[in-house]
Amino acid sequence: NNSEHSFVLDGDYFPAGELKSDRQIVLAPGVSTKVALSATMEGIKGLMWFVDTEKHNVYVSFAFCRPTIGGTRFSCRVGAPPANLKNDIGSAPNLGKDKFPPNDASNREFCCEWIATADGVQVTIPQEVPFYLPPTVEEYAAAADPAARAGERPADFMAQTRPMDATDGLVRGLKTAGQGVAGGLASCVAAPILGAKSQGAVGFVKGLGMGLVGGALMAVGGVTCGAAQVGRGFMQIPTAYRARQEEKVWDQELGQWIDVDLVALEHEVAGYKLDDDSPAAGSSGGPSAPVVETEYYELLGVSPGATPAEVKKAYYKEARKVHPDKNPDDEGAKDKFQELQQVYQVLADPDSRKKYDKEGKAGVTAEKNVQMDAKAFFGLLFGSEKFVKWTGELKMAMQMDHFSKTVMSQDAEEPEDMDRGSEIVRKQQTAREVFCAVNLRDKVERMVYGRNLAGFEEQMRLEAHELAGAQYGPELLAVLGERYQLRAEIYLANELAGRFSMKKRWASMNNNWAMARHGVDFYSSAALSVYRLSGVRSAQKSAMKKAVKAAEQDPSVDVEAEQSRAMEAAFDSALPTWMKTAWYWVVRDIDTTVKNVSRKFLQDKSVPWQIRIRRAHALERLGQIFSEEAKAAAAAGPGEQTVTPEEVKAKIQEALMGSMRES
């Protein structure tokens, strides 16, 4: 080691053989260090990489393959890690008696020299070595093609229906064939019945004939299309195999395997025009001119240049502090809460905020319609406003918000285009996933790049402890912790043990079991919710009968009032079940979102493979910390939340009050 750096072992991967030397080995500057490996029956095959002890940005990456039978391959790279060090196992240069690489331009790729010796390989690390810095969105933006239009998706039906692989093709084929056969049977049954109703016996015969012909055509068409999907899936086998080897992900809208570049995605979603104030929307605050009054900003504790996301976060924080239910002994709590609502109603609306900045309170005192902010409502109801960096805006909230805007646009001169609305929802979800992946990238930086495990654990425990104090905090932490661990285990098993290894199969099985468990929870709760809804209707009918009978004996009985009281009581008793169903919907939403977030985070090609491995280890540890803090918070808390109708009703009313805003 002729450089001024000391290097320590940062990671290894041995499909065959193992490291014989002490894992605490140090490649000290100015001296020679011996690193010993031991072979198995298959020989020696693997990777090792070292990192400097000071700034952790200079890597020494080894790849070697010495099978029992065959030639020896070897490579050593100093400086930035290669894009995928695993590829060097099979593509490294043959180890010969001559010094490698030659003293020419090819040396820039490796930045070091090596030569075979009688008992191994002698590697020389040069005096001057390059260093590695992770890419930034600013660098990408400076180099990006300004003519490229972000977010475009082709409307190619054949591409969008293309199966991912043979399994996906089989599932799609069976589904298509089943739909065709079911449609054919329905046609055979329905056509004669409709014919008989309109034309009697003659119509029945005609309908039977038409039904048989139409049903046969539908069944044959469904089976044919299903067989075609199965065939397309089998044709995808080689492509899918290569794509998984290269850590690509499947994009159903494009109908192809793609590389994930988180930095490029971050730049792309920043250009989305979502008409949305969520953090993922990339909207900015900052008045374009000096404000005439700052009272509203001071009440929320933010500057006049605060972004919409910062305004929303500050409102959530202050609203919980001054809410009347949290301050029963404070007679002025209700007035403070209402004042805070009025402030948020102004600052949360871009037009109202501009008017306030320009004219002050006098400019925003005109009467306006009061509407519910769906995102604020669900954020307050499930405590997700504190988790927005980890979960993004809940899909339930995005859909409700989009629905309310669509309904409002029906009376407008230019109603919202449905295709554009669907595109906005798709972009919102993409932006949500990228936003969460970028947050993960920033949160684990202390462990991934700084190698400060103790500091990372302390920081994450403090944040998890704070998150546990939110509504549904322990439950959300538990879900995130479980998902993070499972996704990290799957990635590490796939990369370090092999896609077809027992370790990978076990990790995938655990993941599938967790997803199935959450699905069963949701559907069973949804079925119970439907049953409780029928109970409300039954209570209405029963109350109506009783009230009518009582009114016959006593004319002063108010039938409508008695019916309303019975319905309200039945409705309130069903609230815990409906709330639980909504919660399980949130869990399934988080399941799907974290799966996509983890792919963007762990399979990010903007960083080398070695960094992705470190990210996976950090994500696994983060999941463990979240799970541990969730258990501790649940054990210290009063038990399961929202178990009585009164508690549920209070939480819904609190969220509803806090989410009302003027428009």
Side-chain angles (χ1 to χ4, degrees), residues 424-499:
I424 287 176
V425 172
R426 181 191 69 78
K427 286 185 174 182
Q428 283 179 328
Q429 180 62 23
T430 300
R432 172 193 183 187
E433 293 166 5
V434 173
F435 172 74
C436 293
V438 169
N439 174 65
L440 277 178
R441 181 193 66 191
D442 296 341
K443 292 293 184 183
V444 304
E445 189 175 84
R446 195 170 187 179
M447 176 176 170
V448 173
Y449 295 114
R451 269 72 177 180
N452 185 355
L453 176 59
F456 168 75
E457 290 181 342
E458 180 182 8
Q459 177 187 353
M460 290 300 98
R461 284 197 185 279
L462 288 173
E463 184 155 353
H465 183 74
E466 182 180 350
L467 291 172
Q471 184 119 286
Y472 280 93
E475 291 87 348
L476 283 168
L477 273 180
V479 172
L480 286 173
E482 179 187 49
R483 301 310 305 159
Y484 287 160
Q485 289 181 76
L486 289 171
R487 298 311 306 180
E489 288 171 5
I490 288 174
Y491 181 81
L492 289 171
N494 188 69
E495 292 300 310
L496 302 181
R499 184 181 168 216

Side-chain angles (χ1 to χ4, degrees), residues 39-327:
T40 60
M41 292 183 62
E42 299 177 27
I44 300 176
K45 182 169 68 173
L47 311 168
M48 290 190 305
W49 58 96
F50 294 74
V51 68
D52 72 291
T53 57
E54 186 178 356
K55 296 183 177 180
H56 314 293
N57 61 3
V58 180
Y59 291 77
V60 181
S61 307
F62 297 97
F64 35 80
C65 180
R66 185 178 183 178
T68 306
I69 301 175
T72 301
R73 293 180 176 274
F74 181 87
S75 72
C76 177
R77 301 172 186 266
V78 178
N84 193 331
L85 185 60
K86 280 179 70 177
N87 293 340
D88 278 12
I89 294 178
S91 63
N94 290 318
L95 184 63
K97 297 180 180 179
D98 297 327
K99 185 179 292 187
F100 190 93
N103 190 20
D104 55 24
S106 65
N107 194 21
R108 297 173 187 172
E109 181 183 354
F110 300 98
C111 299
C112 65
E113 295 179 344
W114 64 84
I115 188 172
T117 64
D119 57 352
V121 187
Q122 178 180 307
V123 179
T124 302
I125 300 175
Q127 187 174 3
E128 298 293 332
V129 294
F131 57 88
Y132 169 75
L133 289 177
T136 64
V137 70
E138 291 78 16
E139 294 172 346
Y140 179 87
D145 181 5
R149 297 179 63 183
E152 286 192 345
R153 296 275 168 166
D156 186 342
F157 174 78
M158 292 300 292
Q160 291 177 348
T161 57
R162 183 180 295 127
M164 176 176 62
D165 53 19
T167 303
D168 188 33
L170 182 61
V171 172
R172 287 170 176 267
L174 292 174
K175 183 178 179 181
T176 303
Q179 289 173 343
V181 172
L185 291 173
S187 177
C188 292
V189 173
I193 295 175
L194 293 175
K197 285 184 177 180
S198 61
Q199 299 180 14
V202 175
F204 177 83
V205 174
K206 289 182 179 180
L208 180 61
M210 293 179 64
L212 289 173
V213 173
L217 289 174
M218 292 180 68
V220 171
V223 171
T224 302
C225 291
Q229 285 291 75
V230 173
R232 295 174 76 192
F234 275 94
M235 290 175 63
Q236 282 286 100
I237 290 177
T239 303
Y241 178 79
R242 288 193 301 270
R244 289 190 172 101
Q245 291 290 104
E246 296 169 4
E247 290 188 69
K248 293 187 176 184
V249 299
W250 178 253
D251 189 315
Q252 188 60 63
E253 288 187 86
L254 295 176
Q256 63 186 31
W257 294 89
I258 61 170
D259 286 322
V260 175
D261 186 324
L262 186 55
V263 174
L265 286 172
E266 185 181 5
H267 177 259
E268 178 182 320
V269 300
Y272 284 177
K273 295 181 180 180
L274 303 176
D275 298 327
D276 181 64
D277 62 357
S278 67
S283 54
S284 60
S288 57
V291 298
V292 300
E293 183 178 301
T294 61
E295 179 183 345
Y296 282 7
Y297 293 104
E298 291 170 359
L299 283 171
L300 288 182
V302 297
S303 68
T307 65
E310 291 170 340
V311 169
K312 180 184 288 187
K313 182 178 180 180
Y315 169 67
Y316 285 151
K317 183 179 179 181
E318 295 299 321
R320 289 202 177 279
K321 286 182 181 179
V322 303
H323 195 281
D325 291 345
K326 305 287 185 182
N327 302 274

Side-chain angles (χ1 to χ4, degrees), residues 345-359:
Q345 289 164 5
V346 171
L347 299 186
D349 182 76
D351 294 332
S352 298
R353 182 175 177 179
K354 287 179 182 178
K355 200 167 186 179
Y356 173 75
D357 291 341
K358 186 177 181 180
E359 304 175 24

Side-chain angles (χ1 to χ4, degrees), residues 303-426:
S303 68
T307 65
E310 291 170 340
V311 169
K312 180 184 288 187
K313 182 178 180 180
Y315 169 67
Y316 285 151
K317 183 179 179 181
E318 295 299 321
R320 289 202 177 279
K321 286 182 181 179
V322 303
H323 195 281
D325 291 345
K326 305 287 185 182
N327 302 274
D329 299 328
D330 186 355
E331 296 181 357
K334 184 176 181 180
D335 293 335
K336 292 177 184 177
F337 185 72
Q338 290 177 342
E339 182 182 19
L340 200 66
Q341 280 184 289
Q342 293 173 358
V343 169
Y344 178 65
Q345 289 164 5
V346 171
L347 299 186
D349 182 76
D351 294 332
S352 298
R353 182 175 177 179
K354 287 179 182 178
K355 200 167 186 179
Y356 173 75
D357 291 341
K358 186 177 181 180
E359 304 175 24
K361 284 193 292 186
V364 294
T365 53
E367 183 177 352
K368 293 187 175 183
N369 296 324
V370 179
Q371 296 176 344
M372 183 187 77
D373 183 340
K375 294 183 179 179
F377 173 75
F378 286 106
L380 290 168
L381 183 62
F382 292 110
S384 57
E385 82 280 1
K386 281 191 175 183
F387 284 84
V388 70
K389 289 183 179 180
W390 303 95
T391 65
E393 297 283 3
L394 297 176
K395 196 167 187 176
M396 182 188 297
M398 290 193 293
Q399 290 174 336
M400 286 290 292
D401 183 66
H402 175 65
F403 176 76
S404 63
K405 289 178 180 177
T406 302
V407 171
M408 289 175 59
S409 71
Q410 299 302 315
D411 299 327
E413 293 182 3
E414 296 183 2
E416 182 177 338
D417 181 70
M418 294 301 294
D419 291 338
R420 181 178 179 274
S422 300
E423 180 68 5
I424 287 176
V425 172
R426 181 191 69 78

